[in-house]
Amino acid sequence: MSGVTRCDEVAAEAGLGERRRLYRTSRRIGDGVGKWGLGLPGILVFAASGWTWWGAVLAVAAVAAAAVAYKKVPPRSGLVAVARYQGGLVLHHAGGDFRALPWDAIESYEYIPSRMEFRGNLSIEHFGRVLILARDRETPFVVSKLAGRYEPGLAEAIRAGLMPRYTAPLHERFEEEGHVLFGRVLAVLPAGLLLDPDGDHPAAPLPWSDLQDVSAEGTRELRITARTEPGQGGRVVTRVLADADVVAAFIHETRAKLLPEQRPE
C-alpha cells in the first residue's frame, strides 16, 4: 500500500474530507551524503574512461543523475510527507506511522523562513520550517525540506484552515456591540463598511450590495473593491491593517450573513 493511499485512509477515518494537496519532503545535499559522496560516481566514470575528455562529460552527467536520484529518495527519519485535506492534515512519518490532525486539533503553528548564513568563505543554508503544535503535545512537529520549497504554501494553508478560529471572536463582538472597529481606518457595520470612521468627515458606509470584493495582500494590506459602472472594473481602496487576511475573511462571512436580509423580496 502506498503512503498516499494510507494517508487517504487515515483522513477518511478522521473525517477530513477530500485531499487538496500532498507535500513531500526531499533530501538535500549534505543530509548524510556530502558533495564528495555524490561526486564518487563521476570520479569512477572519469577514471574508467582513461581520463579522456568524453569521460569528463560522462562524469558530469553521472554526478547530475546521482544528485537527482538522491533527492528523490525519501528521508530515513522525520516526516516523509504532509497531506492536506479539507478538514486538516495527515502526517506521514518515515517509520510508517500516520497521524491525522484535524484543524481543531492544532494548537498553533509557526513558519520560520529559510536563510543563508555566511562564515568567511563558507555558506550555510538554514532550511525553512513549519512548526505544528498539536493540542496533546508539548513539542511541535517539524516540517522542513519540502520538495519545491513549499513551506510557505503549507503555512498559508494551515492559517486558512485555522481561519474560523481567528474570526470567531470578531463575530462575537459584532453580535454583542453591533459593530467592529479596526483602529481608525475601518468599521464593519450592519449596513456595510465605513472607511476612516474617526475622520473629521466620515463618508457614508459602503453598502454590502456595493461591495464587489475584499481581499488581503499578505497579512498587512486590505484591498476593498467597490462596484462602479459596468466595464470600469471597480474602485479599489487599500488600508494597512494587522491580520488583514483575518479581517477579509470576517468581512466575507459577515456579508454572506447580512446581504440576503437586505435584498428586496
Side-chain angles (χ1 to χ4, degrees), residues 29 35 37-43 45 56-69:
I29 306 303
K35 296 179 180 178
L38 288 178
L40 183 60
I43 295 174
V45 170
V57 175
L58 292 178
V60 172
V63 171
V68 172

Side-chain angles (χ1 to χ4, degrees), residues 10-221:
V10 172
E13 294 170 1
L16 300 186
E18 297 181 356
R19 173 159 42 92
R20 297 295 175 81
R21 183 154 194 168
L22 180 69
Y23 304 87
R24 297 183 185 274
T25 58
S26 66
R27 295 190 180 193
R28 304 286 170 85
I29 306 303
D31 294 348
V33 170
K35 296 179 180 178
W36 288 107
L38 288 178
L40 183 60
I43 295 174
L44 295 176
V45 170
F46 195 21
S49 71
W51 312 103
T52 60
W53 68 267
W54 56 266
V57 175
L58 292 178
V60 172
V63 171
V68 172
Y70 178 74
K71 290 181 179 181
K72 290 184 178 296
V73 176
R76 290 178 294 181
S77 62
L79 288 173
V80 174
V82 178
R84 175 169 60 88
Y85 296 82
Q86 181 180 2
L89 307 173
V90 172
L91 308 182
H92 176 193
H93 294 268
D97 295 329
F98 295 80
R99 167 148 184 179
L101 278 181
W103 297 127
D104 58 6
I106 297 177
E107 178 69 29
S108 62
Y109 80 99
E110 180 182 3
Y111 168 55
I112 303 175
S114 61
R115 63 182 179 87
M116 295 296 297
E117 180 181 355
F118 298 95
R119 299 178 182 175
N121 295 327
L122 180 65
S123 61
I124 303 174
E125 181 178 7
H126 298 271
F127 299 109
R129 292 176 293 163
V130 181
L131 310 181
I132 305 172
L133 181 62
R135 292 188 182 276
D136 60 350
R137 284 174 58 96
E138 295 183 358
T139 58
F141 296 103
V142 180
V143 183
S144 185
K145 301 178 184 177
L146 294 180
R149 300 180 183 267
Y150 279 118
E151 288 87 359
L154 175 60
E156 291 176 3
I158 295 174
R159 185 173 178 84
L162 300 181
M163 192 59 69
R165 182 186 306 175
Y166 302 147
T167 60
L170 298 177
H171 286 293
E172 292 177 3
R173 194 189 314 169
F174 188 82
E175 292 294 328
E176 293 174 359
E177 302 179 9
H179 67 276
V180 177
L181 286 173
F182 295 97
R184 307 175 69 176
V185 298
L186 178 69
V188 179
L189 310 173
L193 303 181
L194 181 60
L195 300 175
D196 305 321
D198 283 353
D200 294 334
H201 303 286
L206 174 68
W208 292 114
S209 57
D210 289 343
L211 177 63
Q212 180 173 313
D213 187 34
V214 60
S215 61
E217 293 292 331
T219 60
R220 298 291 299 176
E221 182 178 286

Side-chain angles (χ1 to χ4, degrees), residues 212 225-236:
Q212 180 173 313
T225 305
R227 298 186 188 279
T228 56
E229 296 297 326
Q232 294 185 6
R235 178 173 59 90
V236 178

